[in-house]
């Protein structure tokens, strides 16, 4: 059953049926189970409308990289490493870095480097 909050009290809320037909009824806060995507709307005249949430940016995955791609990442010492992918594994890519080191790095940590 979908109801709207009409008034807030110390330990209770007054709920009304948005389709009409029933008067407000008071229920304790503990009886309310909000939906997963609850939308809070300020019903006062001239109140700003809520902004629609933006979708989170997509993390890169295995399909976004291939052998020979030039990539960059932050190593465990927070230094920027640049290198070339030499092997693609299920969860990581093996990178030969310009510094002579080799790293296995998760795809979500990699960024493509474009040479101009």
């Amino acid at each position: 059953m979908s109801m709207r909050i009409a008034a807030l009290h110390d330990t209770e809320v007054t709920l009304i049926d948005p389709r009409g037909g029933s008067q407000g009824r008071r229920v304790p806060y503990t009886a309310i189970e909000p939906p997963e995507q609850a939308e809070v709307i300020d019903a006062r005249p001239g109140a700003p409308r809520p902004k629609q949430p933006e979708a989170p940016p997509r993390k890169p995955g295995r399909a976004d990289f291939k052998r020979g791609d030039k990539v960059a990442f932050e190593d465990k010492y927070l230094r920027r490493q640049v290198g070339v992918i030499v092997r693609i594994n299920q969860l990581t890519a093996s990178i030969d870095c310009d510094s002579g080191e080799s790293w296995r790095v998760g795809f979500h940590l990699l960024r493509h480097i474009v040479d101009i």
Side-chain angles (χ1 to χ4, degrees):
M1 175 160 53
S2 178
M3 304 288 278
R4 293 189 75 147
I5 297 174
L8 298 173
H9 309 288
D10 288 337
T11 59
E12 299 174 323
V13 293
T14 302
L15 299 175
I16 59 171
D17 187 354
R19 297 175 299 233
S22 70
Q23 294 292 333
R25 105 181 164 195
R26 287 180 137 188
V27 295
Y29 283 122
T30 57
I32 299 173
E33 292 183 25
E36 301 236 351
Q37 292 287 350
E39 181 180 352
V40 178
I41 299 174
D42 190 350
R44 294 178 293 179
R49 301 304 285 170
K51 294 180 181 176
Q52 293 295 329
E54 295 181 16
R58 188 181 75 82
K59 290 183 180 179
R62 182 175 186 227
D64 297 321
F65 298 97
K66 64 182 184 306
R67 210 168 128 244
D69 284 352
K70 192 167 187 179
V71 295
F73 64 95
E74 302 281 325
D75 68 11
K76 64 182 179 180
Y77 305 109
L78 300 178
R79 297 179 303 196
R80 183 172 185 214
Q81 297 284 344
V82 176
V84 176
I85 297 176
V86 293
R87 181 178 172 157
I88 300 287
N89 302 315
Q90 194 70 19
L91 301 175
T92 62
S94 297
I95 314 289
D96 278 346
C97 296
D98 296 343
S99 63
E101 297 175 302
S102 293
W103 292 84
R104 279 193 335 203
V105 182
F107 296 108
H108 65 282
L109 298 173
L110 295 176
R111 295 183 308 274
H112 283 280
I113 298 291
V114 179
D115 286 330
I116 298 178

